[in-house]
Amino acid sequence: MMPQISIRMYEGRTQAQKDEIVEVFTRELSRIIDREARYIQIEFDEIPIDENAPDNLKNKR
């Protein structure tokens, strides 16, 4: 499938947040490139929280 979007971010986001990301990115990419949403694939690469993570995520530990 194409296009494919890979999002690398710190772990700790809720499923609702990830669902909204998928919805918005899919809708907008589909509009911008004139491609049906069913062909757009989005994947998350969640990395462990470390010393570089934002404070709001560190506090969820």
Side-chain angles (χ1 to χ4, degrees), residues 13-27:
R13 276 40 179 236
T14 66
Q15 188 60 49
Q17 288 172 316
K18 290 186 269 186
D19 291 345
E20 184 175 357
I21 290 168
V22 169
E23 177 187 335
V24 171
F25 276 51
T26 300
R27 180 184 66 234

Side-chain angles (χ1 to χ4, degrees), residues 8-51:
R8 186 170 187 190
M9 64 183 185
Y10 286 110
E11 62 189 3
R13 276 40 179 236
T14 66
Q15 188 60 49
Q17 288 172 316
K18 290 186 269 186
D19 291 345
E20 184 175 357
I21 290 168
V22 169
E23 177 187 335
V24 171
F25 276 51
T26 300
R27 180 184 66 234
E28 291 305 308
L29 185 61
S30 175
R31 177 185 65 79
I32 292 165
I33 67 170
D34 193 27
R35 183 73 166 149
E36 296 89 346
R38 70 178 179 264
Y39 294 111
I40 297 170
Q41 182 179 14
I42 299 175
E43 66 180 12
F44 292 97
D45 178 15
E46 296 184 272
I47 58 174
I49 294 173
D50 60 20
E51 66 276 354

